[in-house]
Amino acid sequence: MSSEAVADIGLIGLAVMGQNLILNMNDHGFKVCAFNRTVAKVDHFLANEAKGTEIVGAHSVEELCRKLKRPRKVMLLVKAGSAVDAFIEQLLPHLEKGDIIIDGGNSHFPDSIRRTKELEAKGLLFVGCGVSGGEEGARYGPSLMPGGSEAAWPHLKPIFQAIAAKADGQPCCDWVGETGAGHYVKMVHNGIEYGDMQMICEAYQLLRDGLGLSHAQIGDIFDAWNKEELNSFLIEITRDIMRFNDTDGKPLVEKIRDTAGQKGTGKWTAISSLDMGVPVTLIGEAVYARCLSSIKDERTRASKVLAGPVGKKFEGNHKQFVTYLGQALYAAKIISYAQGFMLLREAAKEFNWHLNYGGIALMWKGGCIIRSAFLGDIKNAYVSNPNIESLMFDPFFQKALANAQDGWRYVASQSVLLGIPAPAITTALSFYDGYRTEHLPANLLQAQRDYFGAHTYELLDQPGKYIHTNWTGRGGNVSSSTYDA
Ligand SMILES: *[C@@H]1O[C@H](CO)[C@@H](O)[C@H](O)[C@H]1NC(C)=O
Ligand SMILES: *[C@@H]1O[C@H](CO)[C@@H](O)[C@H](O)[C@H]1NC(C)=O
Ligand SMILES: *[C@@H]1O[C@H](CO)[C@@H](O)[C@H](O)[C@H]1NC(C)=O
Ligand SMILES: CC(=O)N[C@H]1CO[C@H](CO)[C@@H](O)[C@@H]1O
């Protein structure tokens, strides 16, 4: 080994996330070699942010690889997509069997599945690693979700677990699973984040438009919730946002245009749920709610002509409503996470991953945007029964749903009566009621399908036997495979 090989890990991409991760690794005693395609950036970084640290730099991919101890570990923090493949191509000639490439970007999981297979075929190891927590997390403790070539894990574990956030004294980073599992889990994390944010926004609107409360009053409600079972990063920042006044003394949030942006990870989660036939309804509604918000001009025109409930004002007890709303939020949140873990289970089946669900809950408990006390309860549920069919079957959550359901139903019905949209809170309730219903009306649906398409049906007492009925007494012999509905 060349005496030049001094660094424990190389990192490519000196945008904010990359820089902060490097500084974080340096803080924990690891020697990092930094590289950026624009090499002036490397020198600038070494002379400024990295001044006085152990961090070294490289001016080429070749130099970077020369400076790494074996097995070489190179982490990419570059834009997801073709840039990742381009850097992998550039690295290949300078790597040897057993060396490790880590993609810490926001890659779509099918790419990570493909890259793992391609690199393993070349004798290299690949890790697709979800990184959550934004700039602050990257610097002082992100949530890290690594998956891919498991043989890479023992080499990465000391570094990753050292720099990760800690929850209950444990690192928010553990091996997630094979091929694209790391990026998949990160994607579902982001989907759940969409759902959490949407529910909170619905609660905000019910308090603002339903009860007519001021932002300061709503801030106090979120403050109180943050001290109870809803305690979480997103509830906490919502409280702070409610209390943030602009220079004119008015709440800044009031002035922000109500059209939501999105980068696609929530959409990916919804698409994957449709692909796999898992009813992840709350995240789906959260994505659609952003879409609906974005057609602001059309909504403005509709607001002038489409009728809503006339003269309906909330006439109940405010204090009671706030209590019920807290219950509705909590129950909807349980449903959203139950749906998210249902999706993970199905993905594990589909892609042959061995996922550690309790470990995933722990990875999300600190460092990332959805961090909350609640994830500790989810972890406990999976620790006491790793094979639990659904979180809703866990005694703790079963009881929590039972305790919250009256308030949840009250809030859902009030939102409907008042004409205030609450798609996440209401879809969660519909899902819950559907999930706990033994006889759904799909018997009729099957009859309809058989009627017009001869798709056949099963009888309750003879599952597995497919029957077609001549419903009309007309028509010839139809094949059930001619069309689908
Ligand atoms: C923001 O303004 C409201 C009055 O509109 C006031 O009651 C509140 O104290 C202000 N908040 C802060 C943090 O200054
Ligand atoms: C349905 O019933 C009618 C009348 O009995 C008969 O003419 C027709 O052939 C039947 N069709 C099939 C698919 O059995
Ligand atoms: C309809 O299907 C039945 C049973 O397969 C068969 O006996 C009959 O000849 C078919 N009739 C026509 C019109 O194809
Ligand atoms: C590929 C790469 O390393 N690019 C980064 C170099 O640094 C700038 C920041 O100055 C980033 O924006 C690039 O993504």
Side-chain angles (χ1 to χ4, degrees), residues 298-312 415-421:
E298 198 171 328
R299 285 191 291 113
T300 301
R301 286 189 290 281
S303 72
K304 309 242 167 9
V305 296
L306 297 184
V310 180
K312 275 272 193 291
S415 82
V416 172
L417 291 172
L418 295 169
I420 297 173

Side-chain angles (χ1 to χ4, degrees), residues 12-16 19 35-38 41 77-79 83 87:
I12 296 180
L14 292 179
V16 196
Q19 289 194 19
F35 175 74
N36 195 81
R37 191 172 35 212
T38 316
K41 182 75 205 170
L77 274 159
V78 301
K79 198 168 169 333
F87 268 109

